[in-house]
Amino acid sequence: MSKRPDLRYERRLWKLGIDAVAGVDEAGVGPMAGPVIAAAVVFAPEIFISGVHDSKQLTHERREELFTSIRDRAIAVGVGIAEVNEIDRLNIYWATMSASRRALSALNLAPGHVLVDGRLIAGLQLPQTRIVGGDRKSFCIAAASIVAKVTRDRMMVDLDAIYPGYGFAQHKGYCTSEHMQSLAKLGPSPIHRRSFWPVAACAQRPLF
């Protein structure tokens, strides 16, 4: 098995005459603050960008470089967002499903098939295939993971300026020891997920 994403899954679909294959992945399922972001990416057949990999395997600098290459060479890129209030209202699973459907709806074309990392997208009215560990196997899913991660990281940097003191620009909302300490000291901000237990435990002391 290949140790890096390749085109094997896409080529199976291209051989069936399905040219528009969308890869979908998300970023921000685990953090206790900030939105969850999904991305959908479609490339023309046989387009391949060397270095594209699961976003978690790449440095910040390399992700930024590849993000630009993906945006330049893809024929369609869509991003979907589920904000904190939706995460708290629906739960993180259903909010992620909503963000994934929105990413596909944001494409400027209708894909003939969707390759998705990990689990099927509930409520999607398109043919789809789930690939466990897809961001390490499928090129278009790996590209989507980079777009989702870079988009979310940039949003968290912007949110750090709006809600200073929590370190969002550094930890991006994940449950680091520094984040836990700032949460205990300051109480939850408006972008903390109050349905997540560490935030719920501090919710009696809101800062804003």
Side-chain angles (χ1 to χ4, degrees):
M1 178 161 302
S2 171
K3 294 182 179 180
R4 297 185 71 86
D6 58 31
L7 297 173
R8 79 189 98 155
Y9 296 97
E10 292 88 338
R11 283 175 175 149
R12 292 173 189 172
L13 294 164
W14 293 334
K15 287 180 180 179
L16 296 175
I18 303 170
D19 289 342
V21 178
V24 175
D25 202 6
E26 81 288 320
V29 170
M32 57 183 183
V36 62
I37 304 293
V41 181
V42 180
F43 292 95
E46 298 303 330
I47 293 296
F48 186 80
I49 301 170
S50 179
V52 166
H53 202 348
D54 169 13
S55 64
K56 297 182 292 295
Q57 304 298 316
L58 302 169
T59 65
H60 167 78
E61 292 76 17
R62 188 62 175 138
R63 283 195 300 267
E64 289 283 344
E65 293 172 1
L66 289 167
F67 177 86
T68 300
S69 297
I70 291 164
R71 299 286 308 203
D72 287 345
R73 300 188 65 186
I75 59 174
V77 176
V79 171
I81 303 172
E83 299 287 359
V84 171
N85 60 348
E86 187 173 11
I87 293 170
D88 287 341
R89 178 170 54 86
L90 297 178
N91 76 37
I92 187 61
Y93 170 81
W94 288 109
T96 301
M97 295 296 105
S98 295
S100 297
R101 292 192 299 270
R102 288 168 188 153
L104 287 160
S105 295
L107 294 170
N108 61 10
L109 54 80
H113 200 97
V114 176
L115 298 177
V116 59
D117 182 34
R119 52 194 173 188
L120 296 176
I121 302 170
L124 182 65
Q125 302 300 310
L126 289 169
Q128 59 178 317
T129 300
R130 77 181 187 101
I131 303 172
V132 177
D135 51 7
R136 300 185 301 277
K137 299 174 182 177
S138 162
F139 169 68
C140 65
I141 295 177
S145 80
I146 293 169
V147 173
K149 173 66 172 168
V150 171
T151 300
R152 187 179 187 279
D153 283 358
R154 291 178 178 180
M155 290 179 69
M156 294 306 295
V157 171
D158 291 341
L159 288 166
D160 181 71
I162 298 171
Y163 305 109
Y166 293 95
F168 293 134
Q170 287 71 48
H171 53 63
K172 309 302 189 295
Y174 283 88
C175 301
T176 64
S177 59
E178 292 79 10
H179 191 183
M180 294 295 291
Q181 290 169 11
S182 63
L183 179 64
K185 178 181 178 181
L186 301 173
S189 75
I191 64 163
H192 276 98
R193 302 173 182 178
R194 292 171 187 256
S195 56
F196 281 41
W197 75 262
V199 181
C202 294
Q204 70 274 18
R205 297 193 298 119
L207 177 62
F208 298 93

